[in-house]
């Protein structure tokens, strides 16, 4: 953890850069600079195609008729436009159930990580002089090195034994796997909040719980967003854990149910891609609307 | 939870509330993460098959592991694939970061596009690429599917893994580039430095620390490769793209539970050793963040 970074550095860097950018665009741009700007933009646009082409292919394939989807290279436009694949995919793979389960697992993971990690980090930072709390911090952090495959086998047995071989267990495990990193982020942030703030609240007779919920937790808002975004993406997109932990195939999350097209319906490409599109769309839509927060969240959390 | 307690003892008494805040996380964590890890280590020295009786076999599992061609090829593939992917991801991400940080049009929109791969599910995008590699590319360029070629299927795994991993490396590089003051570039261009000279003499040394971070994080993720391989090749053709994670998971079905736990322990040790080695390099370079 030698590279444990404090998010403030990155924040400051970003702020600094915003100033620079404003300065750059503020000045008059010469003709030559403008030409090179367009050239670089062109290069980036071409590179961007490698990101967009697979997504374009997913959309066009999803709107094709079964006949059109089996011939050709996949990049041709759908003609005629056939939206019925979505209804087929919706019914075929049990999309509504999987969607509800994915939403619940992701929501529980986000809420669970935010509450458990912020409370633990607060206790650790405020009681740092106490050995129990200090060593707990290193104990929690050490687990960042434990990848899921390493403990998967005994974990699957344990969750089955505890009757957690279901979406509830998946959510709990997602919370715990996010815990290390989230406690790290919260602790770094909490250290920057001065203790005087709390002392005045305590003098007014506030209990530790009141101090946390009324004073500290609202101050953690930016970090809650960061931790929440990470937890959401990890839980929503995960394939490995639910596919191993959840015993009942009817209770699977969206990424896992996509498997069905690799075996049973391997030639229904239009239905398969409609299903893939529905699986990808929620995070992309959320991303497009929450881009600013996602980016700042990732920047804040990227350097661990 | 009384506020009047302190003065009594010399050592400050800890408010019980702090214990209540910490303990749920600590207990759940111990039960569901550390517990299974210890259980796994325990079973790795037994002949447990996943159910029923078992007895101790000492280090037998570990000894067999180092001569098992299937395991060795999985380690060979996983480490080789990780090295290639780390190099590729860093090169492309740094290239894109420099471009995205220079004077360009539509900066926000372009940045937005390059971060999309980060938010899509690995398995789903692997299924899409599976179609591209096995159907689209042969249809457009001729030839047969790269996924069916035991010698070249790993390239497809690298491409898709890199496709998804570039955004997070890119964002770290952008953060690094944003931290370089604009004045440094202005001064050097007054001295007549070419853009290339600026890149090698200013940009590269100043983002060196970020290269190491991206390498550490990249390795940690790529060594655990699973989703994308399942979606692309499912470890095939044969076992050509079978990763260590995939061999460990066979412990569920093939009756070699204890054996695969030994594999997991070795895998864990290797992961930690690689991370420590990289962290040592960081410390030696004196990079602090």
């Amino acid at each position: 953890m030698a590279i444990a970074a404090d998010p403030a550095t990155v924040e400051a860097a970003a702020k600094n850069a915003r100033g620079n950018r404003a300065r750059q665009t503020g000045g008059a741009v010469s003709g030559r600079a403008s030409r090179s700007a367009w050239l670089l933009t062109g290069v980036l646009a071409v590179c961007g195609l490698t990101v967009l082409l697979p997504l374009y292919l997913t959309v066009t394939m999803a709107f094709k008729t079964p006949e059109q989807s089996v011939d050709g290279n996949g990049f041709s436009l759908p003609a005629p436009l056939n939206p019925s694949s979505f209804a087929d995919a919706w019914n075929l793979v049990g999309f509504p159930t999987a969607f509800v389960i994915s939403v619940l697992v992701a929501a529980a993971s986000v809420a669970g990580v935010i509450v458990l990690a912020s409370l633990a980090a607060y206790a650790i930072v405020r009681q740092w002089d106490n050995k129990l709390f200090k060593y707990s911090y290193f104990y929690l952090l050490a687990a960042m090195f434990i990848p899921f495959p390493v403990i998967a086998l005994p974990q699957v047995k344990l969750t089955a034994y505890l009757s957690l071989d279901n979406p509830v267990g998946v959510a709990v495990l997602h919370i715990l796997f996010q815990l290390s990193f989230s406690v790290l982020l919260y602790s770094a942030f909490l250290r920057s909040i001065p203790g005087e703030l709390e002392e005045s609240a305590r003098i007014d007779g506030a209990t530790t719980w009141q101090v946390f919920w009324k004073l500290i937790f609202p101050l953690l808002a930016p970090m809650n967003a960061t931790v929440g975004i990470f937890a959401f993406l990890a839980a929503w997109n995960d394939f490995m854990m639910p596919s191993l932990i959840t015993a009942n195939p009817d209770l699977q999350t969206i990424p896992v149910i996509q498997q069905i097209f690799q075996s049973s319906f391997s030639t229904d490409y239009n239905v398969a891609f409609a299903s893939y599109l529905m699986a990808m769309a929620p995070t992309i839509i959320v991303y497009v609307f929450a881009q600013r927060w996602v980016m700042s969240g990732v920047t804040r959390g990227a350097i661990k | 939870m009384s506020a009047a307690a302190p003065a009594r003892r010399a050592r400050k008494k800890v408010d019980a509330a702090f214990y209540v805040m910490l303990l749920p996380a600590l207990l759940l964590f111990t039960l569901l993460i550390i517990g299974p890890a210890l259980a796994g280590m325990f079973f790795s020295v037994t002949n447990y098959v996943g159910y029923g009786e078992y007895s101790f076999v000492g280090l037998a599992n570990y000894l067999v592991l180092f001569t098992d061609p299937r395991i060795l090829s999985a380690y060979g593939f996983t480490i080789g694939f990780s090295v290639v992917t780390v190099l590729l991801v860093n090169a492309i991400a740094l290239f894109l970061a420099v471009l995205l940080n220079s004077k360009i049009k539509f900066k926000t929109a372009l940045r937005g596009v390059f971060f999309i791969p980060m938010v899509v599910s690995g398995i789903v995008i692997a299924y899409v690429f599976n179609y591209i590699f096995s159907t689209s590319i042969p249809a457009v360029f001729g030839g047969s599917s790269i996924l069916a070629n035991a010698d070249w299927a790993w390239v497809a795994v690298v491409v898709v893994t890199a496709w998804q991993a570039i955004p997070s490396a890119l964002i770290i590089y952008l953060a690094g580039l944003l931290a370089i003051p604009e004045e440094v570039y202005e001064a050097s261009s007054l001295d007549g430095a070419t853009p290339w000279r600026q890149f090698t003499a200013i940009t590269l040394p100043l983002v060196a620390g970020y290269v190491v971070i991206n390498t550490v994080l990249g390795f940690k993720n790529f060594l655990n490769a699973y989703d994308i391989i399942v979606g692309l090749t499912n470890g095939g053709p044969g076992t050509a793209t079978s990763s260590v994670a995939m061999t460990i998971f066979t412990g569920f079905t093939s009756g070699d539970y204890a054996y695969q736990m030994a594999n997991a322990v070795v895998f864990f040790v290797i992961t930690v050793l690689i991370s420590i080695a990289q962290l040592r390099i960081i410390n030696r370079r004196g990079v602090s963040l």
Side-chain angles (χ1 to χ4, degrees), chain B residues 70 225-226 229-230 233-236 241-251:
Chain B
R70 187 173 63 117
Y226 181 70
I229 301 178
V230 168
T233 61
N234 209 5
T241 57
S242 193
S243 71
V244 177
M246 295 172 95
T247 60
I248 292 176
F249 294 154
T250 63

Side-chain angles (χ1 to χ4, degrees), chain A residues 4 17 23 37 41 50 61 73 127 130 139 143-144 147 151 153-155 157-158 208 237 259 262 283 287 295, chain B residues 14-15 18 29-30 32 34 36-37 48 50 103 105 112 115 119 121 127 136 163 178 183 220 224 252 257 289:
Chain A
R23 235 173 299 150
T41 309
T50 56
M61 286 293 286
N73 54 35
Q127 296 299 326
N130 183 309
Y139 177 63
M144 272 196 345
I151 48 175
L153 301 185
Q155 214 165 38
K157 285 197 96 62
L158 179 66
T208 305
N237 287 333
Q259 267 180 314
Q262 299 299 303
T283 47
Y287 167 71
M295 304 258 265
Chain B
V14 177
D15 185 345
F18 286 114
F29 189 78
T30 306
L32 285 163
I34 304 299
Y48 189 53
K103 283 160 191 144
K105 309 284 172 188
F115 292 123
V119 303
S121 150
Y127 285 143
S136 298
W163 188 86
L178 291 174
E183 289 75 22
K220 191 172 159 258
N224 291 306
F252 286 115
Y257 186 96
L289 282 158

Side-chain angles (χ1 to χ4, degrees), chain B residues 119-283:
Chain B
V119 303
V120 297
S121 150
I123 185 93
V124 175
I125 205 64
Y127 285 143
V128 171
F129 270 101
N130 186 334
Y131 179 85
I132 294 179
F133 283 120
S134 59
T135 312
S136 298
I137 291 182
V140 177
F141 299 103
S144 57
S145 168
I146 191 180
L147 299 179
N149 185 325
D151 292 330
W152 292 103
W154 66 273
V155 174
V157 177
V158 168
V159 167
V160 182
T161 307
W163 188 86
Q164 209 194 19
I166 284 171
S168 41
L170 172 58
I171 212 157
I172 292 176
Y173 281 132
L174 270 177
L177 292 177
L178 291 174
I180 303 174
E182 187 64 23
E183 289 75 22
V184 182
Y185 289 106
E186 281 164 16
S188 71
S189 49
L190 286 178
D191 292 341
T194 63
W196 177 249
R197 182 101 178 87
Q198 287 184 329
F199 176 75
T200 52
I202 301 174
T203 312
L204 266 188
L206 288 177
V207 296
Y210 297 87
V211 175
V212 185
I213 292 169
N214 274 332
T215 311
V216 176
L217 294 182
F219 258 115
K220 191 172 159 258
N221 290 333
F222 305 148
L223 286 176
N224 291 306
Y226 181 70
D227 297 21
I228 285 174
I229 301 178
V230 168
L232 267 184
T233 61
N234 209 5
T239 56
T241 57
S242 193
S243 71
V244 177
M246 295 172 95
T247 60
I248 292 176
F249 294 154
T250 63
F252 286 115
T253 48
S254 61
D256 53 1
Y257 186 96
Y259 181 57
Q260 292 304 344
M261 274 324 305
N263 186 10
V265 172
V266 169
F267 180 53
F268 175 59
V269 170
I270 290 179
T271 313
V272 171
L273 287 181
I274 291 179
S275 302
I276 290 175
Q278 290 169 323
L279 292 178
R280 283 182 69 98
I281 297 171
I282 297 177
N283 286 337

Side-chain angles (χ1 to χ4, degrees), chain A residues 40-236:
Chain A
L40 294 180
T41 309
V43 172
L44 278 171
V46 172
C47 295
L49 286 182
T50 56
V51 171
L52 295 178
L53 269 181
L55 304 176
Y56 162 83
L57 178 121
T58 313
V59 175
T60 54
M61 286 293 286
F63 281 101
K64 287 175 182 178
T65 60
E67 296 74 32
Q68 201 198 351
S69 72
V70 290
D71 61 67
N73 54 35
F75 290 107
S76 55
L77 281 168
L81 210 62
N82 170 35
S84 70
S85 318
F86 291 95
D88 291 347
W90 184 266
N91 298 321
L92 190 63
V93 297
F95 215 94
T97 319
F99 187 82
V100 171
I101 289 173
S102 272
V103 169
L104 291 178
V105 166
S109 305
V110 170
V113 172
I114 288 178
V115 171
L116 270 191
S118 65
L119 282 172
Y122 177 66
I124 286 169
V125 170
R126 287 293 171 263
Q127 296 299 326
W128 188 248
D129 298 334
N130 183 309
K131 281 205 174 69
L132 173 78
F133 291 89
K134 188 192 260 179
Y135 290 133
S136 300
Y137 179 72
F138 296 116
Y139 177 63
L140 290 174
L141 285 206
M144 272 196 345
F145 284 108
I146 308 179
F148 178 65
V150 170
I151 48 175
L153 301 185
Q155 214 165 38
V156 167
K157 285 197 96 62
L158 179 66
T159 47
Y161 178 74
L162 297 173
S163 304
L164 283 174
D165 50 348
N166 50 43
V168 176
V170 172
V172 171
L173 287 182
H174 275 141
I175 293 171
L176 296 176
F177 272 101
Q178 276 317 105
L179 197 64
S180 302
F181 183 43
S182 309
V183 166
L184 179 77
L185 291 179
Y186 277 124
S187 307
F189 194 83
L190 278 162
R191 289 200 181 93
S192 68
I193 299 178
E196 289 82 29
L197 215 59
E198 290 170 42
E199 269 151 37
S200 61
R202 280 176 193 280
I203 288 165
D204 292 344
T207 65
T208 305
W209 288 106
Q210 285 168 337
V211 168
F212 180 80
W213 288 117
K214 299 223 167 105
L215 188 66
I216 301 297
F217 194 73
L219 286 174
L220 290 175
M223 207 37 89
N224 289 338
T226 300
V227 167
I229 287 164
F230 275 99
F232 172 76
L233 286 178
W236 185 271

